[in-house]
Amino acid sequence: MSNTAGQVIRCKAAVAWEAGKPLVIEEVEVAPPQANEVRLKIIFTSLCHTDVYFWEAKGQAPLFPRIFGHEASGIVESVGPGVTDLQPGDHVLPVFTGECKECRHCKSEESNMCDLLRINTDRGHMLHDGQSRFSINGKPIYHFLGTSTFSEYTVVHIGCVAKINPAAPLDKVCVLSCGLSTGLGATLNVAKPKKGQSVAIFGLGAVGLAAAEGARISGASRIIGVDLNPNRFEEAKKFGVTEFVNPKDYDKPVQQVIAEMTDGGVDRSVECTGSIQAMVSAFECVHDGWGVAVLVGVPNKDDSFKTHPMNLLNERTLKGTFFGNYKPRSDLPSVVEMYMNKELEVEKFITHYVSFSEINKAFDYMLKGESLRCIIRMDG
């Protein structure tokens, strides 16, 4: 790959020309990396709900044409000035959020919310010069989340690249660069259930199932899955979920149902839906005195969280988390090692594989609710 360093690379990319329209495989030009940037050859990528949400432009000002994608694995092709901890050939995971290692958040042991590289869905260009590294016939194509992995080559800020074990299978660990790590970390790093405790998981999509996986790894005795779709229940058993609650089956609040099931409430809960009602239920279903509820889902901008102050005064704890409290560069390599050491099971999250030329099938699978994660092979 070194013979392309410093040159414009022409490659295939799946371009979203309009909101909600099928992606089109185009030949794009990918400029060389600038200061503190790396150019990656993407080997595998996968589709996340975030890609679909912004592709549909729900509640957002359209920013098209655009190259989506942010869950992926790849190999460093070349590096820009100032990059010292990566070199061509390194195996990496690009990440939608970053770690500059210089700001107060990055230097804090309690935060992973980098001031410089915090998620920004509105930015369609690189930080260094406000320009895009993608173009077609001289016309710029917008970036997405600083990653744009639906391209055979992409340019990413160094702070959004995690170097990983070169022995890790890239077709598996690519799913660790977003949703799975978010749910896993929400349980392991924030909720922190003790062995033998009970955990309620609200929402049994990929993120919720990753949270359940974290509860399983922690040794939880009861993992209660809460979801409005009973079709998800059988699949969730593979992730350690032991009991299920469908709020539609009851004429009373689900938090009351769970409290009755567990002699006063669960020890921990993790909310992974974005529904404000689910957030309230997740908080109010934990046991007083020691219960901890963790919010992961992103609510609508006009939502407000309402609960009686006595729920807090009675020593229930409410927490939020971003990317499972993982610092991308520092912590993701250890998550990969969990998989390599067979502590974390990743294969069961992967339900489909498609070739790059069939990328729109991945959207169809997700929109129909048929997939957890669909892996896209960039060589096909």
Side-chain angles (χ1 to χ4, degrees):
M1 290 185 290
S2 59
N3 62 348
T4 54
Q7 302 177 23
V8 172
I9 290 178
R10 289 178 172 80
C11 68
K12 292 180 181 178
V15 178
W17 290 100
E18 297 180 60
K21 300 294 184 181
L23 307 188
V24 180
I25 304 296
E26 305 276 13
E27 182 179 80
V28 301
E29 297 87 38
V30 185
Q34 301 302 308
N36 297 316
E37 297 174 358
V38 295
R39 188 161 59 185
L40 308 178
K41 178 178 175 62
I42 299 299
I43 308 299
F44 293 95
T45 187
S46 61
L47 182 64
C48 172
H49 279 284
T50 303
D51 296 306
V52 176
Y53 181 85
F54 285 93
W55 164 72
E56 292 180 319
K58 288 184 176 179
Q60 304 293 323
L63 192 61
F64 295 94
R66 204 168 197 181
I67 297 175
F68 286 98
H70 65 285
E71 275 192 354
S73 58
I75 299 174
V76 176
E77 175 270 337
S78 61
V79 303
V83 176
T84 58
D85 55 352
L86 286 174
Q87 59 186 1
D90 284 343
H91 287 211
V92 298
L93 300 180
V95 186
F96 68 94
T97 185
E99 180 186 357
C100 71
K101 296 194 175 184
E102 298 296 331
C103 70
R104 288 183 66 190
H105 282 278
C106 287
K107 291 180 178 180
S108 167
E109 295 181 357
E110 301 181 35
S111 175
N112 67 335
M113 302 187 71
C114 176
D115 282 329
L116 178 67
L117 300 168
R118 192 175 303 187
I119 183 173
N120 186 326
T121 58
D122 297 327
R123 187 170 59 235
H125 51 73
M126 300 300 292
L127 284 173
H128 175 68
D129 56 6
Q131 301 295 316
S132 174
R133 302 290 175 261
F134 297 109
S135 62
I136 296 179
N137 297 323
K139 295 183 179 180
I141 306 296
Y142 290 112
H143 291 251
F144 179 64
L145 296 181
T147 50
S148 293
T149 61
F150 293 167
S151 174
E152 292 177 319
Y153 288 86
T154 189
V155 177
V156 182
H157 191 283
I158 182 61
C160 297
V161 180
K163 181 179 177 181
I164 63 170
N165 186 339
L170 295 179
D171 63 327
K172 304 297 192 300
V173 298
C174 61
V175 298
L176 294 175
S177 66
C178 181
L180 270 63
S181 293
T182 296
L184 182 74
T187 302
L188 295 181
N189 300 335
V190 188
K192 298 181 180 179
K194 298 175 183 177
K195 186 175 181 179
Q197 288 191 322
S198 58
V199 181
I201 307 294
F202 284 73
L204 298 176
V207 175
L209 293 176
E213 182 79 351
R216 180 192 67 79
I217 292 170
S218 298
S221 61
R222 301 176 70 179
I223 305 175
I224 302 170
V226 183
D227 202 291
L228 297 171
N229 182 1
N231 294 329
R232 291 178 166 178
F233 293 169
E234 190 63 32
E235 182 78 15
K237 293 178 182 178
K238 300 177 184 177
F239 301 83
V241 182
T242 58
E243 301 162 68
F244 300 93
V245 174
N246 183 343
K248 292 191 294 186
D249 293 341
Y250 301 89
D251 57 5
K252 52 188 170 183
V254 70
Q255 54 266 47
Q256 184 177 337
V257 174
I258 293 173
E260 293 171 357
M261 292 171 59
T262 56
D263 190 24
V266 289
D267 301 298
R268 302 288 187 267
S269 70
V270 184
E271 182 283 322
C272 304
T273 71
S275 160
I276 198 67
Q277 183 55 56
M279 292 180 179
V280 173
S281 297
F283 175 54
E284 294 183 354
C285 82
V286 298
H287 206 290
D288 59 5
W290 63 80
V292 178
V294 178
L295 306 186
V296 179
V298 179
N300 293 324
K301 63 178 182 178
D302 296 325
D303 284 339
S304 59
F305 186 97
K306 295 181 180 179
T307 191
H308 197 282
M310 285 304 301
N311 288 317
L312 289 162
L313 295 174
N314 285 339
E315 299 184 7
R316 294 177 178 87
T317 299
L318 179 64
K319 294 185 175 183
T321 183
F322 173 71
F323 193 49
N325 271 41
Y326 286 120
K327 294 178 185 286
R329 298 165 76 182
S330 299
D331 297 334
L332 271 194
S334 64
V335 179
V336 171
E337 291 307 307
M338 288 179 63
Y339 167 72
M340 297 295 286
N341 294 331
K342 302 187 184 305
E343 301 168 32
L344 169 64
E345 300 174 19
V346 166
E347 286 85 354
K348 58 192 177 185
F349 289 92
I350 301 170
T351 53
H352 297 80
Y353 282 88
V354 299
S355 64
F356 188 38
S357 61
E358 299 176 313
I359 190 171
N360 288 299
K361 283 187 177 181
F363 282 77
D364 292 338
Y365 290 140
M366 182 162 285
L367 290 169
K368 293 177 181 177
E370 297 177 357
S371 71
L372 290 175
R373 281 297 182 266
C374 179
I375 305 299
I376 300 158
R377 299 184 298 266
M378 299 303 291
D379 61 355

